[in-house]
Amino acid sequence: MVHDDEPVLFGRAGGTARITLNRPRALNALTHPMVMAIAAALDRWEHDPDVTAVILSGAGERGLCAGGDIRAIYEDARTGGNASPAFWRDEYRLNARIARFRKPFVALMDGIVMGGGVGLSGHAGVRIVTERSAVAMPETAIGLVPDVGGTYLLARAPGALGTHLALTGNTVGPADALLCGLADHFVPSGRLTALSEALAAPGVRDAADVRETVLRYAATPSEGRLAEDRPWIDACYAAGSVPEIVDRLLDSGLPAAKDTAQTLLSRSPTALKATLAAMRADGPPSTLEEVLDRAYRASCAALTHPDLVEGIRARVIDKDRAPRWSPKELARVTEADVARFAAPPPGGDLGLAEGTAHLAP
């Protein structure tokens, strides 16, 4: 029996299988049991001839998923950090699985979509944003490097837009999500129910049918701002290091650029430098599996760095927005500090790039 209080709801409508993240009070934050339940459902559906497509959505009206359960990560980091690596192993494997799913996987990115929510939706075959979408990889604000394959997506955005979003953690709306390659189509939120019903119709049998159906409901979003800001973003983020990027932003004479510099200076200095290194390693020709392998290393390293606990404390626990980073200045973050985020963790590597074949059912 399926209960409405379960953290993930599964259902069927016509040829579509439905995944609904069902923790609306927690903005559908992702937990380890939720990851495992979704993975098991994909195992069942991939070879079920009655399932033609999968639709992912979030319960409530606030968002698809605000990310992983960072309170759980906070407690784990404070008590030895054994649970989080196990969660990330299965989460990142699920991210890769979604990217390679053999049937159309439609992600309804309505409302807040951050961190782990991007991992579930950003690698889907069909990614739909609405006028309510707020998409971000905000990890540097809590001492993490963007994970779940977020750097894989952002490294392929036009110019330096992806680097800008990875370092600042800024949130983008639907137009900018489309521009940066984080989404494929804009559908007004009022049309999502009708779209879901249309996707379940008997005539929708394959990926081409799904695309044609989505296009019937798609529209053009209101204009974003990144296209207009791209000249100064490209110029400033072309610098070779984070301190040089900050200097260019401050020297640009543009209020938006100076505000961005202040944003960067509020983030974890160590996470900023490790994120820039990741962005420059995770672009083409890297595969998603290779990027997820590197993300696992970075996340495990962050788990033992004081900035993670401090960043979550300041953002989520005490909410004083005054983190005490260690070190607190970019100049004091050494090359060795950054190299730790690329080193194999004590428990061993994720190994997705070497063992991709083992993931398929």
Side-chain angles (χ1 to χ4, degrees):
M1 179 181 292
V2 174
H3 299 281
D4 288 345
D5 59 352
E6 292 180 353
V8 187
L9 304 179
F10 301 100
R12 293 277 289 274
T16 59
R18 308 291 181 89
I19 302 170
T20 305
L21 307 182
N22 190 40
R23 299 183 68 209
R25 292 184 179 179
L27 284 172
N28 298 318
L30 196 62
T31 65
H32 201 168
M34 293 168 71
V35 166
M36 300 307 292
I38 295 169
L42 295 184
D43 286 344
R44 295 193 302 271
W45 293 334
E46 190 154 29
H47 299 290
D48 184 340
D50 294 328
V51 173
T52 57
V54 175
I55 300 177
L56 171 71
S57 62
E61 297 185 354
R62 297 172 65 194
L64 171 66
C65 176
D69 189 339
I70 59 174
R71 285 181 177 269
I73 294 172
Y74 173 80
E75 293 299 335
D76 186 46
R78 295 178 68 201
T79 57
N82 295 317
S84 296
F87 167 61
W88 288 323
R89 276 185 176 274
D90 290 323
E91 182 187 21
Y92 300 171
R93 288 177 181 273
L94 178 60
N95 300 150
R97 179 71 188 286
I98 289 170
R100 294 182 288 99
F101 196 64
R102 296 185 179 97
K103 297 178 181 180
F105 191 108
V106 182
L108 305 182
M109 302 169 69
D110 187 30
I112 293 172
V113 185
M114 296 183 178
V118 174
L120 290 179
S121 59
H123 308 299
V126 182
R127 306 165 300 174
I128 294 171
V129 286
T130 75
E131 75 283 357
R132 303 188 296 201
S133 294
V135 185
M137 293 298 297
E139 283 76 9
T140 58
I142 59 168
L144 277 171
V145 174
D147 63 343
V148 299
T151 53
Y152 177 86
L153 299 170
L154 292 173
R156 286 154 179 78
L161 295 182
T163 302
H164 170 64
L165 295 181
L167 292 179
T168 62
N170 284 355
T171 300
V172 297
D176 288 332
L178 292 168
L179 172 64
C180 291
L182 300 172
D184 304 304
H185 305 282
F186 170 79
V187 175
S189 59
R191 299 181 189 177
L192 290 181
T193 298
L195 170 60
S196 297
E197 293 173 351
L199 289 171
V204 180
R205 297 180 297 272
D206 56 27
D209 293 333
V210 168
R211 286 192 296 271
E212 181 180 340
T213 302
V214 170
L215 288 174
R216 292 206 306 267
Y217 291 86
T220 301
S222 299
E223 189 174 349
R225 62 170 298 168
L226 287 182
E228 181 179 347
D229 289 345
R230 185 176 166 186
W232 64 260
I233 289 174
D234 284 355
C236 293
Y237 286 89
S241 68
V242 177
E244 290 173 310
I245 290 171
V246 171
D247 287 344
R248 288 192 186 189
L249 291 166
L250 291 172
D251 293 341
S252 70
L254 299 171
K258 291 184 177 180
D259 289 345
T260 296
Q262 295 306 316
T263 296
L264 292 180
L265 292 172
S266 73
R267 304 310 194 216
S268 160
T270 303
L272 285 177
K273 287 195 172 182
T275 295
L276 184 62
M279 284 294 296
R280 293 182 173 173
D282 291 349
S286 292
T287 66
L288 174 60
E289 285 78 13
E290 289 169 338
V291 171
L292 289 167
D293 282 347
R294 290 193 284 265
Y296 182 72
R297 291 183 171 193
S299 294
C300 289
L303 194 65
T304 62
H305 192 282
D307 279 4
L308 178 60
V309 168
E310 177 60 14
I312 298 175
R313 179 207 65 77
R315 282 266 168 174
V316 178
I317 307 302
D318 297 337
K319 299 181 181 179
D320 58 22
R321 300 295 176 110
R324 297 179 290 274
W325 304 123
S326 179
K328 65 180 181 179
E329 297 171 350
L330 285 164
R332 296 177 61 191
V333 179
T334 67
E335 291 184 5
D337 293 332
V338 175
R340 285 186 61 248
F341 284 73
D349 275 325
L350 180 60
L352 268 176
E354 293 80 11
T356 301
H358 297 156
L359 298 179

